[in-house]
């Protein structure tokens, strides 16, 4: 019989190069599995917090133009809240397929696969209890203590997806105040995959009441219009002449009321990135957001073809870290990704992963102050 004390469990959870104080228990899942929070710091004194539960980016303390720090990320204080149906995917890694798959069905080599329709009538963000956002990943710190790699092995058929999938997500906090997220995965059977991070930001500090005053640029001439169930029609439409034209900076709130009325209306769209060159090799610019009051600025870089700009239209005052509440449209997500419903849209860039291939995806959330 193997006895696991809390200390041993913490030790097993992280083969550590982090100082012991930088790993702490975060509470148990309902099945009794202990979760952990990891803190990374850089030479500028910036800190981020990560969870093995959902391979989550749960906090980032970012300086403003006067050096004043604020945590700009949404999150919860308890493991149970990350596992609840109203977790809103705060900061988690979503998978196996981030975003929607129409009616939870797709076909590979003539065989149809059926996934849970957890976002009636569609499949969203990998499904139910075994979605990547809801499982506890294994953690390992790099020798220099600057990164943590989370790994997870998902059996063939889990949540309806074919193939045993081995996935890794590495978070690195660099000295220029950037959070670099590197994804890698392999499969033993042909499958589909689209991992992303679902961080919600408010650059005035999470819990501030709005993002409508943030100014955003999105480096995209086109977007993927959707039907009433948020599934792409297949068209790559021009943003020109629409409230989705963020090729020059606009406040988020300037035209949001033109995006329709009712629950969920607002910005929730996949943009087709122009692949605008950046100063980081292999990565193009996806978006840039500035909170003019504090000067805090987020630049998003990636190697992916799309980014989902989601403006927090389903937030309704959920209580998060330190008792802060997250009001309607008080946080935004920029989820670097392949386009929604790609498994059913052959004209979109392919999301098929074959045995012998390695899925790779890089997303950088780079912070600065203007
Ligand atoms: C989707 C939204 C969805 C939200 C859930 C976003 O990625 O685009 O439609 O409501 O995730 O938190």
């Amino acid at each position: 019989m193997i006895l696991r004390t809390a200390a041993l469990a913490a030790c097993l959870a992280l083969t550590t190069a982090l100082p012991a104080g930088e790993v702490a228990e975060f509470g148990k899942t309902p099945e009794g599995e202990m979760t952990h929070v990891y803190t990374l710091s850089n030479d500028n004194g910036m800190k981020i917090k990560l969870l093995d539960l959902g391979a989550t980016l749960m906090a980032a303390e970012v300086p403003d133009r006067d050096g004043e720090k604020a945590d700009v990320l949404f999150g919860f204080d308890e493991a149970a809240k990350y596992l609840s149906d109203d977790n809103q995917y705060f900061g988690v890694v979503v998978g196996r397929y981030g975003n929607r798959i129409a009616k939870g069905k797709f076909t590979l080599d003539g065989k149809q696969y059926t996934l849970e329709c957890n976002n009636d009538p569609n499949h969203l963000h990998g499904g139910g209890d075994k979605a990547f956002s809801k499982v506890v990943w294994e953690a390992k710190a790099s020798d220099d203590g600057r990164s943590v790699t989370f790994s997870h092995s998902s059996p063939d058929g889990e949540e309806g997806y074919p193939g045993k999938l081995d996935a890794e997500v590495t978070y690195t906090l660099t000295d220029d105040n950037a959070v670099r997220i590197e994804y890698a995965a392999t499969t033993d059977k042909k499958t589909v995959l689209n991992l992303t991070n679902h961080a919600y930001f408010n650059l005035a500090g999470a819990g501030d009441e709005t993002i409508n005053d943030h100014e955003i640029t999105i480096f995209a001439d086109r977007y993927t219009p959707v039907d009433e169930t948020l599934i792409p029609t297949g068209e790559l439409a021009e943003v020109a002449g629409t409230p989705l034209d963020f090729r020059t900076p606009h406040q988020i709130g300037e035209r949001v009321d033109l995006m329709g009325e009712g629950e969920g209306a607002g910005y929730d769209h996949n943009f087709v990135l122009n692949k605008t060159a950046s100063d980081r090799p292999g990565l193009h610019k996806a978006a840039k957001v500035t909170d003019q009051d504090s000067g805090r600025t987020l630049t998003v870089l990636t190697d992916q073809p799309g980014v989902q700009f989601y403006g927090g239209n389903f937030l309704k005052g959920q209580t998060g870290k330190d008792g802060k509440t997250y009001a309607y449209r008080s946080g935004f997500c920029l989820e670097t990704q392949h386009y929604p419903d790609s498994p059913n849209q052959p004209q979109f860039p392919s999301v098929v992963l074959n045995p012998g291939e390695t899925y790779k995806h890089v997303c950088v959330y780079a912070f600065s102050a203007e």
Side-chain angles (χ1 to χ4, degrees), residues 125-139:
H125 294 334
D129 290 352
K130 298 290 179 193
F132 285 11
S133 52
K134 295 225 163 149
V135 296
V136 182
W137 297 54
E138 267 177 46

Side-chain angles (χ1 to χ4, degrees), residues 87-90 94 98-100 119 124-125 196 198 200 230 264 267-269 308-310 313-315 333 335 337:
N87 70 359
Q88 301 283 318
Y89 303 93
F90 290 162
V94 288
N99 219 307
R100 292 178 176 78
N119 189 246
L124 176 68
H125 294 334
T196 191
H198 208 290
Y200 288 66
L230 300 180
Y267 292 114
D268 193 1
H269 293 78
Q308 184 85 9
F309 170 42
Y310 169 57
N313 308 309
F314 290 103
L315 293 172
C333 303
E335 304 153 56
Q337 61 178 8

Side-chain angles (χ1 to χ4, degrees), residues 39-364:
T39 305
L40 298 179
S41 314
N42 69 8
D43 287 350
N44 274 328
M46 185 180 151
K47 283 189 195 307
I48 61 169
K49 287 187 179 175
L50 305 164
L51 291 179
D52 51 8
L53 174 58
T56 299
L57 176 58
M58 78 166 286
E61 284 173 24
V62 178
D64 69 5
R65 65 168 79 84
D66 301 318
E68 187 83 25
K69 286 188 196 128
D71 179 5
V72 299
L73 284 176
F74 287 23
F76 295 115
D77 285 327
E78 295 154 57
K81 286 201 169 176
Y82 280 99
L83 294 165
S84 80
D85 286 343
D86 192 29
N87 70 359
Q88 301 283 318
Y89 303 93
F90 290 162
V92 297
V93 166
V94 288
R96 296 188 188 188
Y97 200 92
N99 219 307
R100 292 178 176 78
I101 296 180
K103 310 239 165 32
K105 293 201 186 302
F106 65 94
T107 302
L108 282 177
D109 291 340
K111 184 167 180 333
Q112 192 179 69
Y113 294 92
T114 302
L115 313 170
E116 188 184 332
C117 291
N118 57 323
N119 189 246
D120 192 32
N122 302 314
H123 176 80
L124 176 68
H125 294 334
D129 290 352
K130 298 290 179 193
F132 285 11
S133 52
K134 295 225 163 149
V135 296
V136 182
W137 297 54
E138 267 177 46
K140 189 176 189 312
S142 64
D143 289 342
D144 61 5
R146 292 307 174 97
S147 308
V148 176
T149 297
F150 295 107
S151 352
H152 175 57
S153 185
S154 168
D156 184 14
E158 193 169 68
E159 292 288 346
Y161 291 97
K164 171 176 176 281
L165 192 90
D166 290 307
E168 271 189 10
V169 183
T170 299
Y171 289 93
T172 305
L173 176 62
T174 60
D175 282 333
D176 56 359
N177 289 2
V179 180
R180 185 179 174 96
I181 312 174
E182 289 164 287
Y183 304 81
T186 54
T187 183
D188 66 357
K189 227 186 234 180
K190 190 170 189 170
T191 193
V192 295
L193 187 63
N194 188 33
L195 302 176
T196 191
N197 182 284
H198 208 290
Y200 288 66
F201 301 88
N202 184 318
L203 298 174
D208 191 80
E209 65 197 14
T210 189
I211 47 163
N212 280 340
D213 52 353
H214 287 31
E215 199 176 73
I216 185 166
T217 307
I218 303 180
F219 299 89
D221 291 340
R222 291 178 185 269
Y223 72 107
T224 50
V226 287
D227 66 15
E228 62 288 350
T229 74
L230 300 180
I231 294 294
T233 60
E235 196 194 344
L236 304 184
E238 292 197 17
V239 295
T242 78
L244 295 160
D245 189 349
F246 289 108
R247 292 173 297 174
T248 54
H250 286 269
Q251 288 201 336
I252 292 176
E254 185 186 318
R255 299 165 297 174
V256 70
D257 290 336
L258 301 173
M259 294 303 298
E261 285 174 10
E263 208 200 353
Y267 292 114
D268 193 1
H269 293 78
N270 171 64
F271 288 76
V272 175
L273 294 172
N274 289 348
K275 309 217 163 146
T276 307
S278 79
D279 53 3
R280 290 176 204 245
L283 303 185
H284 45 264
K285 287 200 241 180
K288 181 179 172 202
V289 190
T290 302
D291 168 40
Q292 276 145 334
D293 278 351
S294 66
R296 285 192 200 91
T297 297
L298 169 70
T299 304
V300 183
L301 306 121
T302 190
D303 54 3
Q304 296 293 288
V307 70
Q308 184 85 9
F309 170 42
Y310 169 57
N313 308 309
F314 290 103
L315 293 172
K316 46 178 186 296
Q318 284 86 353
T319 304
K321 288 179 287 183
D322 305 321
K324 298 233 163 94
T325 53
Y326 303 134
Y328 179 60
R329 292 185 182 159
S330 69
F332 67 89
C333 303
L334 287 162
E335 304 153 56
T336 56
Q337 61 178 8
H338 270 256
Y339 311 158
D341 198 35
S342 294
N344 295 307
Q345 311 242 9
Q347 74 283 19
F348 287 174
S350 173
V351 289
V352 171
L353 181 70
N354 290 296
E357 295 172 349
T358 302
Y359 165 90
K360 292 220 176 230
H361 169 172
V362 179
C363 169
V364 174

